[in-house]
Amino acid sequence: MSSTSDLDVLTSQDYKYGFVTDIEAESAPPGLNEDIIRWISAKKEEPGFLLEWRLKAFRHWMTMVEPTWPNVHYPPIDYQAISYYSAPKSKKDGPKSLDEVDPELLETYEKLGIPLNEREALAGVAVDAVFDSVSVATTFKGRLEEMGVIFCSFSEAVKEHPELVEKYLGTVVPFTDNFFATLNSAVFSDGSFCYVPKGVRCPMELSTYFRINAANTGQFERTLIVADEGSYVSYLEGCTAPMRDENQLHAAVVELVALDNAQIKYSTVQNWYPGDKDGKGGIYNFVTKRGACRGVNSKISWTQVETGSAITWKYPSCILIGDNSIGEFYAVAVPNNRQQADTGTKMIHLGKNTKSTIISKGVSAGRSSNTYRGLVKIQKGAQGARNFSQCDSMLMGDKCGAHTFPYLEARNPTAQVEHEATTSKIGEDQIFYCNQRGIPTEDAMSMIVNGFCKEVFRELPMEFAVEAQKLLGVSLEGSVG
Amino acid sequence: MTMLEIKNLQVSVEDKQILKGINLSVSSGEVHAVMGPNGSGKSTLAQVIAGRDTFEVTAGSVTYFGKDLLELAPEERACEGIFLAFQYPVEIPGVSNLYFLRAAVNAARKHRGEDELDAIDFMEIAKKKMASLGMDNQMVSRAVNVGFSGGEKKRNEIFQMALLEPKLAILDETDSGLDIDALKTVADGVNALRGPERAIVVVTHYQRLLNYIVPDFVHVLADGKVVRSGDKSLALELEDKGYGWLGNGARPELAVRA
């Protein structure tokens, strides 16, 4: 039941979503220079301000060095070998309905179990599907438009709402922010844009499914969500990717802006191809996600379940500017085999009586490494700021690792900062106890891990919570400790 | 009929022999008490029957309704009706007792080819059992054994046993650390389960529990062997004279099959 060889056999399960869609891509040649950036911008018919912004980012990026501080290891990336743009060709300039969408593309979504037709209305989910670098279909637009909610691809937002894009783009994650965010600013291809007007409660969960396809194509998503005064929006992001031998770079940027009394809930289920059991292939997931609680009483919650990617490097953060604003981070990271994860959050308290909560659950299996890295910073003016952090790690087997690096900086004497951390090993005693009650080992593992992660799962929207629990079961199949 | 037949069972852990040839036969309708000093192998015997794989069976056989029990995985044994009330019930944070128990009951139902119970049907059954055991309703909504007192954990084991309605229930030192009220609850739970179709094996260090669960047979283990078997009077005699009375367990000729 618990011997090392059994563990090795059982954890060697193949990735279930490994297939490649054969679609003719219209790609940029590999390499990165100002001409390529101009080409991308022209291809997307962007206004001048955006091209200028991209070029500024690129020039800045040229002066930057790739960071080495994360607790992850990978061979050097050749940024000149990457193609920075790839769009699936469609029959016309842009599909206006599902009938116009490439049937093979639809089939891909079918395989992934993403429903893209009107039946989704029942599920209450609007999908802005990103395939490679271009959005191909957006549903439920009509209903959202009635309420004044703008939910579209980033490219479309650039064309239809350039003033909003110009006003908010780069205001949370500036183009100088970090190596990968700066690269993204220079070459970002597409992504999602959402604007919820004053006082509107978005009537459905907004959702984007990401998928990386064409070989050697880094994907550089850019997401911008703005919740105007007194509004509310819940956004879901989920993804799987086809099997590939080459490592694939993914450097996305997500910016959230919450104005007075606004609330944004951002949930992620991330299941990109993690590489095979020896660590070959798999996605490099270097993501910058940040939210700014600009208004008073505003609130931003990040909830994420990370089971995929060869390497995950991401720290969804909140900048709590408005008085009484709230930042939350709930995360489950489940690396297996040779996956590496260095994740966490930053909570920057600027406003008075700002509050933040961090609940991080790491489950490590196989030979994986899992690092939690978190910063809680209370600035001078943040009178009465409060933080609570809890980081729990669970180990399966004896070849994986878990590390916790909490950084706390309190510059205001009235601040209250609490940090709790635990590490536990999934016990043979627990498994045997379940077995003795008739519950098979695999079910027992899944039950124990789901119990461990419960505090995070209950923050997920209902349909996502179910998906996340299934995903966890699949990811850990056979990881008997 | 004979339910459990143990013949010359020898068990080691990390090359250290713990059971040195146990013979024991348990039939439907019977209650057996297994007594003995610390380290005599009582708990090992209980765990080997339940299928704990940290122990290596080096010789002998165990049959259950004529089938080779040692061939079955622990969950199969459970589904076939073997229940072990743990000496140290295990905590499972974040998993509600109710969810855990429903998974257990449904695993057995699935094994028997019956329909699984949904949450509502199961809740009704659980409520009835709780009432009959005088248990607090909120105990089922708490995480499995997390934050339970010693007495609550043992009651929870008995509650699980009552729900799973095993054919063979083994209680491993269920009485240890219990006050008299909890002891009575445990005994009531066990006595309610007594019936012609079931057998119960009570592993205990003290005679006290046997005042409430009156055994048909008493076996005394010492140094990995059954050194005495008899009826309930043997337990009283032990209480009176102590385990020292048996010598160093060096009287195997007195071991009688019940």
Side-chain angles (χ1 to χ4, degrees):
Chain A
M1 180 182 83
S2 56
S3 75
T4 304
S5 59
D6 282 355
L7 191 122
D8 292 343
V9 170
L10 289 165
T11 49
S12 61
Q13 205 207 355
D14 286 343
Y15 183 68
K16 287 192 173 159
Y17 300 107
F19 49 85
V20 171
T21 307
D22 188 17
I23 289 177
E24 213 183 312
E26 193 187 337
S27 302
L32 186 55
N33 52 52
E34 292 202 7
D35 287 346
I36 290 283
I37 288 164
R38 285 176 205 282
W39 185 84
I40 293 171
S41 192
K43 192 99 190 149
K44 299 168 77 63
E45 299 166 43
E46 289 175 352
F49 82 87
L50 201 49
L51 174 62
E52 278 313 306
W53 195 71
R54 285 177 181 275
L55 288 171
K56 274 194 285 186
F58 174 70
R59 286 165 199 149
H60 186 74
W61 184 73
M62 295 297 282
T63 68
M64 297 173 96
V65 191
E66 199 171 327
T68 52
W69 53 263
N71 186 22
V72 296
H73 307 278
Y74 54 92
I77 297 167
D78 181 355
Y79 291 93
Q80 294 301 337
I82 295 171
S83 164
Y84 288 87
Y85 184 82
S86 145
K89 279 186 179 171
S90 47
K91 288 168 193 157
K92 294 174 188 167
D93 284 326
K96 303 214 167 30
S97 73
L98 287 179
D99 301 340
E100 296 176 21
V101 173
D102 190 328
E104 207 173 333
L105 201 55
L106 293 177
E107 212 178 295
T108 303
Y109 289 127
E110 200 61 44
K111 282 190 216 168
L112 285 171
I114 302 168
L116 211 75
N117 48 38
E118 287 299 315
R119 276 177 303 176
E120 287 162 3
L122 298 167
V125 176
V127 177
D128 179 271
V130 177
F131 183 85
D132 263 32
S133 310
V134 171
S135 298
V136 289
T138 303
T139 46
F140 294 102
K141 252 185 178 164
R143 201 171 149 209
L144 292 171
E145 264 167 19
E146 278 171 30
M147 307 197 65
V149 176
I150 302 166
F151 178 45
C152 60
S153 72
F154 204 94
S155 311
E156 194 180 332
V158 167
K159 289 198 182 82
E160 306 290 328
H161 310 281
E163 71 296 340
L164 284 173
V165 174
E166 192 170 8
K167 185 171 176 190
Y168 291 104
L169 178 70
T171 62
V172 186
V173 180
F175 70 81
T176 52
D177 195 78
N178 71 71
F179 186 84
F180 297 111
T182 301
L183 178 62
N184 174 291
S185 301
V187 301
F188 72 87
S189 38
D190 211 334
S192 296
F193 175 85
C194 178
Y195 172 81
V196 188
K198 279 182 193 171
V200 170
R201 194 180 165 86
C202 187
M204 61 186 85
E205 316 266 6
L206 302 181
S207 178
T208 304
Y209 286 85
F210 290 94
R211 186 169 166 78
I212 303 176
N213 201 292
N216 277 329
T217 304
Q219 199 176 24
F220 302 93
E221 302 291 341
R222 188 102 199 174
T223 300
L224 175 58
I225 298 173
V226 180
D228 212 326
E229 291 170 23
S231 69
Y232 167 86
V233 62
S234 169
Y235 190 88
L236 319 181
E237 168 201 52
C239 50
T240 67
M243 187 178 289
R244 281 289 176 195
D245 264 351
E246 296 99 328
N247 286 299
Q248 292 176 299
L249 176 64
H250 184 91
V253 172
V254 176
E255 295 180 280
L256 310 182
V257 178
L259 302 181
D260 285 357
N261 304 301
Q263 194 179 336
I264 302 175
K265 190 173 167 62
Y266 194 103
S267 312
T268 305
V269 171
Q270 189 265 111
N271 183 29
W272 279 323
Y273 180 52
D276 65 18
K277 61 187 182 306
D278 299 318
K280 196 174 178 217
I283 306 295
Y284 292 176
N285 188 23
F286 302 145
V287 180
T288 303
K289 290 183 168 178
R290 195 174 303 153
C293 284
R294 288 212 179 127
V296 296
N297 306 317
S298 56
K299 180 175 173 181
I300 290 179
S301 301
W302 298 100
T303 306
Q304 58 179 41
V305 177
E306 306 270 342
T307 63
S309 295
I311 298 174
T312 301
W313 178 96
K314 77 180 229 190
Y315 315 90
S317 305
C318 296
I319 303 171
L320 305 171
I321 302 161
D323 289 349
N324 309 316
S325 61
I326 297 171
E328 293 174 336
F329 175 76
Y330 301 96
V332 167
V334 189
N336 197 351
N337 293 321
R338 290 182 185 266
Q339 281 175 270
Q340 306 174 57
D342 190 314
T343 68
T345 185
K346 284 190 253 180
M347 293 291 174
I348 314 293
H349 294 252
L350 298 167
K352 292 187 183 70
N353 301 315
T354 45
K355 273 200 303 197
S356 62
T357 303
I358 299 171
I359 308 283
S360 166
K361 303 275 182 178
V363 181
S364 310
R367 293 173 176 273
S368 66
S369 154
N370 194 4
T371 299
Y372 169 82
R373 191 184 300 276
L375 170 68
V376 176
K377 196 171 188 172
I378 315 264
Q379 298 290 44
K380 265 190 188 145
Q383 197 75 7
R386 272 158 55 191
N387 161 266
F388 174 75
S389 304
Q390 184 185 328
C391 304
D392 299 324
S393 306
M394 179 179 265
L395 305 175
M396 293 185 178
D398 52 10
K399 289 177 189 156
C400 51
H403 316 270
T404 302
F405 300 107
Y407 301 87
L408 307 172
E409 284 177 37
R411 296 196 180 145
N412 185 303
T414 62
Q416 284 179 38
V417 180
E418 284 175 71
H419 181 88
E420 289 177 7
T422 64
T423 301
S424 55
K425 214 175 150 179
I426 195 159
E428 267 181 48
D429 287 347
Q430 285 175 321
I431 302 273
F432 180 63
Y433 191 66
C434 295
N435 286 162
Q436 211 300 306
R437 297 299 183 254
I439 302 164
T441 301
E442 301 256 300
D443 295 356
M445 300 273 299
S446 168
M447 186 187 282
I448 293 164
V449 171
N450 275 304
F452 175 73
C453 300
K454 195 180 190 176
E455 287 157 287
V456 174
F457 285 163
R458 71 174 171 216
E459 296 296 329
L460 287 171
M462 196 54 159
E463 62 270 36
F464 240 31
V466 173
E467 199 178 309
Q469 290 191 22
K470 276 190 202 149
L471 192 59
L472 217 65
V474 171
S475 303
L476 290 171
E477 243 164 57
S479 305
V480 183
Chain B
M1 70 181 283
T2 304
M3 184 185 282
L4 185 73
E5 182 87 56
I6 301 173
K7 284 185 181 160
N8 186 34
L9 182 66
Q10 299 187 30
V11 171
S12 296
V13 64
E14 287 167 2
D15 294 332
K16 185 174 182 270
Q17 195 173 18
I18 296 173
L19 300 184
K20 300 174 177 173
I22 299 273
N23 292 296
L24 184 69
S25 176
V26 177
S27 293
S28 307
E30 295 175 352
V31 175
H32 290 243
V34 174
M35 302 183 71
N38 291 331
S40 58
K42 304 186 299 286
S43 283
T44 301
L45 179 63
Q47 298 211 38
V48 168
I49 296 170
R52 183 94 205 213
D53 72 348
T54 40
F55 301 101
E56 193 193 348
V57 176
T58 53
S61 66
V62 182
T63 55
Y64 176 70
F65 289 109
K67 273 194 270 185
D68 182 358
L69 187 68
L70 300 177
E71 282 296 303
L72 298 180
E75 61 269 28
E76 291 169 323
R77 300 181 197 198
C79 290
E80 290 286 338
I82 294 180
F83 180 89
L84 174 65
F86 282 57
Q87 184 177 3
Y88 304 108
V90 178
E91 297 184 4
I92 309 179
V95 177
S96 85
N97 223 357
L98 198 66
Y99 182 86
F100 175 76
L101 282 169
R102 187 159 70 94
V105 167
N106 279 336
R109 292 181 71 96
K110 203 171 154 191
H111 183 79
R112 295 193 295 262
E114 298 168 9
D115 286 342
E116 296 184 24
L117 294 173
D118 65 27
I120 297 162
D121 291 343
F122 181 75
M123 189 65 193
E124 274 186 30
I125 295 169
K127 271 185 178 161
K128 276 185 198 148
K129 293 284 183 192
M130 278 186 287
S132 70
L133 289 170
M135 273 176 59
D136 190 351
N137 262 7
Q138 58 113 15
M139 212 155 116
V140 291
S141 51
R142 286 158 65 186
V144 180
N145 294 321
V146 177
F148 285 30
S149 69
E152 282 176 326
K153 283 183 181 173
K154 297 297 174 74
R155 273 177 215 245
N156 195 30
E157 294 291 289
I158 298 305
F159 172 54
Q160 295 184 30
M161 183 179 78
L163 273 171
L164 290 164
E165 302 181 329
K167 293 188 183 115
L168 172 64
I170 305 161
L171 283 75
D172 188 5
E173 307 232 5
T174 301
D175 52 335
S176 64
L178 289 191
D179 62 31
I180 197 74
D181 289 341
L183 195 69
K184 279 180 181 162
T185 307
V186 166
D188 288 349
V190 174
N191 287 328
L193 203 73
R194 283 179 94 146
E197 299 301 314
R198 298 209 172 87
I200 296 163
V201 175
V202 181
V203 174
T204 182
H205 191 82
Y206 301 106
Q207 192 272 338
R208 189 176 64 149
L209 179 65
L210 305 181
N211 290 334
Y212 301 96
I213 304 171
V214 180
D216 301 305
F217 303 96
V218 174
H219 312 276
V220 182
L221 250 65
D223 194 28
K225 287 176 182 167
V226 177
V227 293
R228 274 287 174 104
S229 290
D231 61 14
K232 62 183 177 187
S233 63
L234 177 57
L236 294 168
E237 205 174 348
L238 269 178
E239 176 88 340
D240 206 27
K241 299 181 179 172
Y243 286 112
W245 161 65
L246 294 161
N248 287 324
R251 299 172 71 187
E253 71 280 5
L254 293 175
V256 186
R257 274 185 56 206

